[in-house]
Amino acid sequence: MRSVYVLTDGRHLFQFSEVKVRCSALIAGIVVGVISHLMATPFGLFFNDQTLRVDYFRTGTAEQEIISIDALRTEGQWPGSRTQLVDRLDRGNHRVQIVHKDDSRILFSQGYNTIFQEWQSTEPARQGIFRTFHESVRTPMPNQPVVLRFESRNRFGQFETVAETTIDPQAKNINREVRPPLAPVCSFVQNGLPSEKVDLVFLGDGYRPEEMEKYHRDTERAIASLFQNEPFKSRAKDFNVWVVDVCSVDAGIDEPCRSLWRSTALGTSYNALDSPRYILTIDNCAVRDFAAAAPYDAIAILVNSPRYGGGGIFNQFAISFTGNAPGEPDWWCDYVFVHEFGHSFAGLADEYYSSQISYLDYYPENTEPWEPNITAVLDTNNIKWAGLMDPATPVPTPWDKCRYDSLSALVQRLDAGHVDYKNGIAEMQAILRNPDVAGKIGCFEGAGYASRGLFRPAIDCRMFSKSMAPFCSVCQQAIEQVIDSQSR
Ligand SMILES: [Zn+2]
């Protein structure tokens, strides 16, 4: 992968590679390319080249949901595909659509997840307590009045309209100010036009100005980890990578359970949804404003903390800790970053099922999850990954689940230094490497936080065990589908 180095302010902050290009030349090339591309596709019939960012609030309980618009603004060139405007992958708990005003044609759509939807699975939400989250959707700017439609899935997995509003591109309430980047941005990997590549932007949180060198080292490491894994390794040429130098007042991030509060640019925090290792931010505006320094399709946030943790919300962001606490394996942050990116980039589900998370029955019974890598269906002909299965593979696929579960229960009670802990982990890993099933695609019971009733495609995967296991071939295919949808 060839790295190209550009800074918006022309300063030389760090050595990402031997190749330097001038930002102005790069932008000029992008503009010429985009204009010629626009003229050649139907994209120009309905949209102009700008991005429309719609900020809004989503308020509700487990049973109710209200959307109210906050602000509309233009935000640079549209970085997404100009040939695949309607999302065919059907992923996400929510979907935004741009609908033709006269004939109801869907002109644009995109699926995504939200923290709100995860919060709906918690006890307070089920008790009827209201909460509000700030969110944004970004679409290409329509060139005529259109309907903007917000949808969410019901308990049967079908999309229902939550809110609709008319967007008139001539309206005076669309903020059209051209805002300079909030922080210096560097083009770390440049492989082509944003509309023909997946544009991944990195942001940092909890890094003081004097820690930018560490931030750059952490970023390089995360990028290397990601592109060591298939399918990212083979598809590296389909990515542009941007790095925004976000500085914070304090080092580290919020740790509410330890009463540690830090002033950081993006507001990331441990203990999200009351889970000790879950890191999220609810400061959506800050994330979006800093990310807008680059054309982006995907956001990765690295936090300046050696304490284990991370989070990933589909089509929002992936967050990972960096470095390692004393006595902990140094590969944990590599594992976490790539795992969380699997969630945020491709909408992959967690394939594990033993976890102290605070969701209650996250996947409704008798409803097939939309996530591409877990299923409740055991009819071999209708399994969503049947195309990757050997028809001779038994369904459900036998594996040493009882032994694995008893070992898992044991190690969760023990200290990491205990001899039985080490032996237990070693035996669990041996079960996952059983040559009879390792690497095969089947239907292995235990997935999506449920020990029974949900199935995963492989005995092991980056979305299953806390290990450097590769993505299983079902997850790899699901990731490639997103790369295809954004780069073609
Ligand atoms: Zn998988």
Side-chain angles (χ1 to χ4, degrees), residues 216-231:
H216 298 150
R217 282 199 308 274
D218 292 345
T219 309
E220 286 191 69
R221 176 174 177 161
I223 293 168
S225 306
L226 184 67
F227 288 102
Q228 275 163 13
N229 280 278
E230 292 294 1

Side-chain angles (χ1 to χ4, degrees), residues 348-349 351 373 441 456-458 460-464 470-476:
L348 300 179
E351 294 178 16
N373 62 326
I441 295 301
R456 62 187 194 277
D460 199 8
C461 172
R462 182 59 65 96
M463 302 311 289
F464 178 71
F471 287 109
C472 70
S473 49
V474 169
C475 287
Q476 288 193 30

Side-chain angles (χ1 to χ4, degrees), residues 4-47:
V4 177
Y5 163 45
V6 182
L7 276 179
T8 47
D9 62 1
R11 284 180 300 121
H12 186 112
L13 283 189
F14 53 106
Q15 287 285 356
F16 267 140
S17 78
E18 72 289 355
V19 185
K20 296 178 191 172
V21 297
R22 287 180 62 84
C23 196
S24 55
L26 175 73
I27 291 169
I30 291 173
V31 170
V32 169
V34 165
I35 290 171
S36 55
H37 194 85
L38 258 179
M39 292 165 71
T41 66
F43 177 84
L45 274 179
F46 302 109
F47 300 102

Side-chain angles (χ1 to χ4, degrees), residues 338-350:
V338 175
H339 173 96
E340 300 301 346
F341 196 71
H343 288 305
S344 71
F345 184 67
L348 300 179
D350 277 318

